[in-house]
Amino acid sequence: MAGRRRGRVTIGDVAREADASVTTVSRVLNDVTTVDPALAHRVRRAIADLGYRPSATAQGLARGHSGTLGVLVPDLANPHFSDLVKAFTATVRASGARVLVMDSDEAPAVERDLAEDLLRYADGLLLCAPRMPRTDLAALAGRGAPLLVANRRVPGLALHTVGVDFHQGVLAVCGHLAQLGHRRVVYLAGPEGSWANRERLRALAGAEAFGLRATVLACGSTTDDGYAVAERALAAEGTALVAYNDFVALGLLSRLAELGVRVPDDISLTGFDEIDLARFSSPPLTTVAVPRSGLGRAAALALVRLMSGDTDGDDGDVDGEAGGGTGCDQGEAASEALPVELHVRGSTSAPS
Amino acid sequence: MAGRRRGRVTIGDVAREADASVTTVSRVLNDVTTVDPALAHRVRRAIADLGYRPSATAQGLARGHSGTLGVLVPDLANPHFSDLVKAFTATVRASGARVLVMDSDEAPAVERDLAEDLLRYADGLLLCAPRMPRTDLAALAGRGAPLLVANRRVPGLALHTVGVDFHQGVLAVCGHLAQLGHRRVVYLAGPEGSWANRERLRALAGAEAFGLRATVLACGSTTDDGYAVAERALAAEGTALVAYNDFVALGLLSRLAELGVRVPDDISLTGFDEIDLARFSSPPLTTVAVPRSGLGRAAALALVRLMSGDTDGDDGDVDGEAGGGTGCDQGEAASEALPVELHVRGSTSAPS
DNA sequence: GTGAAAGCGCTAACAG
DNA sequence: CTGTTAGCGCTTTCAC
């Protein structure tokens, strides 16, 4: 009906149309205080007639915060992160905010810049499995905006973190294998610098105390990587193959089938992450289910909580350089580790 | 060094520190005109010293656009969309913008609201495989902001679209099967209302002219759906199973293996979408590779181009209600269909 | 080459 | 209960 004027409809247009002040319009928009029902109705009508939508930008400027959270992931094509982001956006939205997404494409060198850029838009930031140096992390934390790090703990830095208990997961895998009678396994390692990989290595080391020795082979995180490493893995002479994740495991499985190596009769195989397809392979994969969505949800909740709290309090001014040995639990920074669950299926059995 | 004042550092702080005007600071920020080198240097120094970052919100308000694009997907956990979004964000970023992501969680009813909300923040919007009614689509288009629809063509609506040529893909699958000697296939259908599914059905219908008849079975789009439908699919008595996508195909494959049905000896099987794992199954899957990243890139490019063009020109004021039968090619709206590619692998052979 | 001043669209004191 | 008036932080004429 109402001929659209050029450009966007503003709160002023609505005020005029409803014969009210912009303040009043703003009030009904934010359903504040008691506005006279009749007036409110006129305003609402004008809003509908004009098809008015408040500009998030203008609201942001006036309110002092954008209502936007940023999230930086290494690779959105990886289900680990897409699931996380999905849950994150859903949870964040439930508390009224929106999510800006960036993908560093596994390039640690650009993480800092992307994060810095995100902070120009967002009120808070979630860094997923960041690979950037700790000084950069510290600098970002020092910028004042709420910062949350997922799946990376930085010793000696008071960062808020949430993460999956990879250590426990790999320990469970090792325990399972050890109890089956395995003594020598081959670990197909993931991305070099990643915390996720370091945690797995740490668990592997811990398992030695129980008589399980692991040979570590550089591999990667994709199905192709797993496929490609198969022959070397076999040559390493273990009775079980512990893959960095399910993709690698599935790649291995595929190549082993081609080579006529039977799983688990000739060799056992374990994955990690429990992707949907893990239980549909032949044999179905023994793997560790990690709460991907749970992590996204936890991150959202934690970040939202951070934002309600002090944004630029007087104490926690984390200095980028100092990083004293105060430990990471100075009460300021909360850390949450989500539990994982071993799922034993057909790809593991006692060694032959 | 410079003690951080409370709240954020503003352009004014920089101006003061550099003993220049905010105008000048703004100029060096946007590397405009020739600012005196010495002055510019002082400003840059102040910016660095203060760790100043311009507020994207304030810039947005002043400039009249936010530098943000929105994208709405039905399910970010689906590789089809996460790959698309990944490529979209990368390409969009290359042209200086950021991306706000929302996920409708396959609920057509919320799409409209999410899209409207995105438009409050963004300068343009990409709707991926929207399921919403066409009147809603028309209304969104009428809002004035650049709108691009991916993987859905709406007859009689002048919408800019990009999409994958599903029709051609399924035709290729059918042709391959027909040439192998198949005459009767079973199609495991995807989401009911989806354009992607409709296009497949349309191609199936077209294939009848070549003597290939298809029995349609409701199924879904997940591995579980495929697994669950296997027995009914077998009962439908075709010599080949045409799955809606690779997930369904892999689910089928898994169940068929359990049932002792050999692929492709007893029955042929095809997927669609070419997920990474498709070539690692046993047997590897005959499927159709669709340019997921290509679609994201094309969408980004198209949207960016749309934005450079007329945002609120004098002609193209698409009325939400009217929707006259002008057809969808009134010169205003461009449509792009990306080609697909059949990959023949081990899961198909001549019928026994 | 540089700066003063007027907004961008909205919210939030602060009066009436 | 309602309207007036300042800004939020930045860009951008428009003079100097």
Side-chain angles (χ1 to χ4, degrees), chain A:
Chain A
M1 294 297 153
R4 211 167 286 112
R5 43 183 69 245
R6 65 203 172 81
R8 84 180 295 136
V9 181
T10 76
I11 197 175
D13 299 328
V14 175
R16 203 169 308 119
E17 176 88 5
D19 192 35
S21 72
V22 294
T23 309
T24 299
V25 177
S26 173
R27 280 201 263 260
V28 349
L29 235 37
N30 302 285
D31 23 60
V32 184
T33 59
T34 37
V35 177
D36 182 89
L39 219 198
H41 182 259
R42 266 189 359 249
V43 169
R44 264 185 268 274
R45 199 181 150 64
I47 290 177
D49 284 359
L50 268 38
Y52 166 76
R53 298 281 159 182
S55 150
T57 305
Q59 287 184 318
L61 226 211
R63 291 180 173 151
H65 58 262
S66 64
T68 296
L69 260 36
V71 54
L72 177 61
V73 296
D75 179 17
L76 196 56
N78 183 328
H80 193 85
F81 297 113
S82 53
D83 283 2
L84 189 159
V85 171
K86 183 184 168 89
F88 184 74
T89 57
T91 309
V92 158
R93 177 170 176 78
S95 63
R98 326 279 171 275
V99 177
L100 222 34
V101 177
M102 288 196 193
D103 183 317
S104 66
D105 219 18
E106 306 275 15
V110 306
E111 284 181 355
R112 167 76 184 273
D113 277 350
L114 294 182
E116 203 81 72
D117 189 45
L118 273 170
L119 282 181
R120 298 198 311 121
Y121 289 81
D123 302 327
L125 180 58
L126 171 65
L127 256 27
C128 298
R131 218 76 69 72
M132 72 179 88
R134 44 167 296 164
T135 54
D136 284 356
L137 234 26
L140 284 172
R143 281 225 162 277
L147 182 71
L148 185 67
V149 175
N151 279 345
R152 167 161 173 190
R153 190 88 42 96
V154 186
L157 218 53
L159 255 27
H160 298 263
T161 67
V162 297
V164 163
D165 200 339
F166 293 133
H167 183 260
Q168 195 53 240
V170 172
L171 229 38
V173 167
C174 291
H176 165 63
L177 255 19
Q179 302 233 19
L180 243 26
H182 293 271
R183 290 293 169 262
R184 207 171 162 73
V185 304
V186 181
Y187 172 59
L188 292 319
E192 289 254 356
S194 88
W195 181 76
N197 190 49
R198 282 202 303 276
E199 284 293 287
R200 286 166 170 75
L201 288 171
R202 199 161 66 82
L204 251 15
E208 295 222 357
F210 295 89
L212 195 79
R213 306 194 55 103
T215 306
V216 177
L217 241 49
C219 175
S221 58
T222 69
T223 310
D224 280 296
D225 292 330
Y227 185 92
V229 87
E231 272 143 305
R232 277 186 295 130
L234 249 23
E237 304 209 333
T239 55
L241 266 22
V242 175
Y244 171 70
N245 67 15
D246 285 356
F247 287 115
V248 170
L250 260 16
L252 277 165
L253 192 57
S254 173
R255 184 63 182 143
L256 292 180
E258 289 179 4
L259 295 173
V261 177
R262 292 164 309 162
V263 173
D265 304 322
D266 298 329
I267 196 163
S268 284
L269 173 65
T270 66
F272 204 99
D273 268 2
E274 170 100 327
I275 63 173
D276 287 346
L277 287 168
R279 56 185 211 284
F280 292 106
S281 60
S282 313
L285 215 54
T286 290
T287 186
V288 174
V290 310
R292 288 192 286 273
S293 300
L295 188 58
R297 217 172 300 123
L301 260 20
L303 207 41
V304 167
R305 192 161 37 68
L306 267 182
M307 320 232 306
S308 341
D310 60 323
T311 298
D312 47 3
D314 42 356
D315 59 322
D317 195 43
V318 182
D319 187 350
E321 312 311 305
T326 354
C328 58
D329 269 316
Q330 50 168 115
E332 246 286 72
S335 286
E336 199 177 342
L338 274 45
V340 298
E341 201 172 286
L342 173 68
H343 285 183
V344 175
R345 285 196 274 256
S347 69
T348 46
S349 70
S352 45

Side-chain angles (χ1 to χ4, degrees), chain B residues 184-188 215-217 229-239 241 267:
Chain B
R184 206 171 164 73
V185 305
V186 181
Y187 172 57
L188 291 319
T215 305
V216 177
L217 241 49
V229 85
E231 272 142 305
R232 278 185 295 130
L234 249 23
E237 304 209 335
T239 55
L241 266 23
I267 196 164

Side-chain angles (χ1 to χ4, degrees), chain B residues 11 23 26 52 54-55 59 62-63:
Chain B
I11 196 174
T23 310
S26 173
Y52 166 75
S55 149
Q59 287 185 317
R63 292 178 172 155

